[in-house]
Amino acid sequence: MMITSFKKWACLVGMATLLSACGSNDASQDNSGESTADMSYDVSAFLSQEVSPTSNSSNLTISNEEATTASYTSEQILRGELSATTIGGANDGNVEVFPWTVYLDADTLEASSNLTLTLDPGNYDFELLLTKGDQQYAGYSNQTLVDGANDVAMTIKPIIGDVLEEVTIIDRLAFFKFQYSLDDLAAIATPSIGIQVDGDAEQLFTINAVTGLSDTFVNLPTGTHTLTLKFYEAGTQVGKSIAAQETQTVAFGTDLAMDIVPLHGEMQLVLTEDGGDANLSVIVPAEVVDEVGGTNNLTATLALVGVKNPLQESALLFIDQGNGTYQADIVLTDLQYEDVTLSMTFEDTATTDQIASCNNTWTINNQSQSFLCNITLIRRAVVSSNILAVLGLNVFNEAGEPVSGAVVTNASGDTLGITGSGVYGTAGYLKVYVLAGDHDITATDLNNSQAQTATVSLSPLEVENVQLTLEDIFSDAIGFTGDFDSSNWTVSGVASTSIGATQVTATVGGGGGGTDASITIPANGTINFDWAMNVYSAGQYGDSIQYFINGTAVVLSSAGSASGSETNIAVQAGDTFGFRTWGTTSSSSYQAVYNNFSYIVD
């Protein structure tokens, strides 16, 4: 029985009978200005099962239909209370409470009730608290009722945490929000989500694929809690929360956000250049081992086959790494470069049930590679912010060597990570979680001025491997082209200056002065050019032609007309390189030319 701290009005009548509100709608009042309110519902999720963390999963039912039939009828009846709180006006703060019943079709998640409220026109907070078994559901809506008929829309959401005793505190609950869209959910046939709070029993909610589990009410003591999410399609776990996001601080008015990533394993292959024996490390998430109750009850097998590689099978013996993963290390004999098919299976030793699998095709063409493999885990305990994808990147140089320290960015320039910086994988490996969709992924080795971009299309919960072979970012320039095109130069001064594809010309017809034409060097290299200074005014000595690096000038000539060549001028990435001329007197008249320019990348 729910307890309320305010006066309850006993106005419950038959289910199909109009409910007239007592209290503010006194029988002596003139009711010519009455409003009627009909509730329409949108149910975001419905509790289908509660799984104890100590349950023996091998003895639990795996059929959603069987479990639902055994526990509930096809039409669920949720009973509780609806409160209407007047906001503003003479009756501000007045609360009326009505016993309430909602009928829910568990298959379609369509909800309805045959109850109608009659209230004075005005603004109201409507708060609904329902119970089915040990699970509570809540809804909240604020609406201004006008004279006549009104539809009040309300989304009913499960409450996670402590039992709620007062219906009128629903508008002060924290919200638990999931970061995924309806487009992501559309790719999942029968979605459900498991929510575990502070190691207690996991609650399994069927998700409304039309509206999505946009948010769930959290009723927990304020403070830090451990919240674990598991995402299911039918009875198979296909996703989970990110460990770094599972510690959350609950506070009123503060939203919680958690991403879901696909369940996946990682593998590292170390192979000699000419083939031969290969060391293979396999890492799987703890969920795989936990499903069977520990490594002693897990039988795991890896099989690999290709055109040049006959079938090899090996048992995998996993060891707890203490970080939420388990690792097995094996040796594959006489492995050769080619496309191979790899399959891993995981069985419950006691029951011989296959509880997980991973199948993938690898292109083995380098000595050290890391791969991701999508794991499908059947959670036998399960009766049926964004859903993310996992991208495994391997970055190599032109010699086929893994490149450590390459910066990986997306099309917006956001840094996704740095190769070789993780605790697992080869030097050129990086694993990133990304949203579903099309992505341009770029790896840049700044030290060697090399980069490569790949475009990848990912679906929700997809696991994809991409290899990037770096190429030189900057190419040699012959003439003022490419990175040294005229559009990349900055020109200042009084001389008439032009920059064409073959030469830079600075002309002063009189009055002296000169020009600066400068550019930022894109990468380490050397510069070569020819130059000529033609002085037109008689007796002018001191007019000069120069080049400069980072403001330090080198005078090529200051003794009238002259010409020459400069070779192997060393420049570094980020240097400011420029050409400079100067006429020393007001009568100076000259033309300076720089041509036969070349820039050679180191």
Side-chain angles (χ1 to χ4, degrees), residues 1-3 50 129-138 158-167 169-170 173 197 200 203 217-221 252:
M1 181 68 180
M2 297 177 193
I3 302 171
E50 187 169 87
L129 181 62
L130 302 168
T131 300
K132 183 63 183 179
D134 294 329
Q135 178 61 41
Q136 290 186 308
Y137 300 84
I159 295 177
I160 299 172
D162 298 339
V163 173
L164 198 62
E165 294 183 344
E166 293 189 8
V167 69
I169 69 169
I170 291 171
L173 292 179
V197 179
D200 291 337
Q203 293 177 299
F217 285 113
V218 175
N219 185 35
L220 296 170
F252 295 137

Side-chain angles (χ1 to χ4, degrees), residues 218-240:
V218 175
N219 185 35
L220 296 170
T222 57
T224 301
H225 296 274
T226 300
L227 305 175
T228 304
L229 306 181
K230 296 176 182 178
F231 194 80
Y232 302 91
E233 181 172 9
T236 301
Q237 183 183 351
V238 292
K240 63 176 183 176

Side-chain angles (χ1 to χ4, degrees), residues 389-576:
V390 172
L391 183 62
L393 296 170
N394 281 278
V395 179
F396 304 100
N397 60 23
E398 292 176 330
E401 300 166 336
V403 176
S404 177
V407 178
V408 178
T409 56
N410 60 18
S412 301
D414 301 322
T415 299
L416 304 180
I418 300 174
T419 59
S421 60
V423 297
Y424 177 81
T426 53
Y429 176 67
L430 175 69
K431 178 181 74 174
V432 294
Y433 301 130
V434 294
L435 293 170
D438 297 331
H439 298 273
D440 290 331
I441 305 296
T442 300
T444 305
D445 181 5
L446 300 175
N447 290 333
N448 295 300
S449 300
Q450 292 187 318
Q452 186 59 272
T453 298
T455 299
V456 59
S457 296
L458 297 170
S459 302
L461 296 178
E462 183 177 359
V463 175
E464 181 68 24
N465 294 289
V466 172
Q467 294 187 19
L468 295 175
T469 301
L470 301 179
E471 297 178 350
D472 290 336
I473 303 174
F474 309 107
S475 58
D476 298 345
I478 305 301
F480 298 100
T481 59
D483 293 310
F484 290 83
D485 181 80
S486 60
S487 61
N488 296 323
W489 290 78
T490 299
V491 177
S492 62
V494 299
S496 174
T497 305
S498 65
I499 302 177
T502 60
Q503 69 179 33
V504 174
T505 303
T507 302
V508 173
T515 190
D516 274 11
S518 62
I519 194 171
T520 300
I521 300 300
N524 299 351
T526 57
I527 286 177
N528 310 278
F529 60 89
D530 294 339
W531 58 271
M533 181 70 165
N534 296 308
V535 178
Y536 300 132
S537 52
Q540 293 300 317
Y541 295 96
D543 298 342
S544 65
I545 182 170
Q546 311 169 20
Y547 76 86
F548 62 89
I549 299 175
N550 298 329
T552 300
V554 175
V555 177
L556 302 173
S557 175
S558 59
S561 297
S563 61
S565 299
E566 296 297 316
T567 60
N568 297 322
I569 302 172
V571 289
Q572 304 294 317
D575 283 352
T576 299

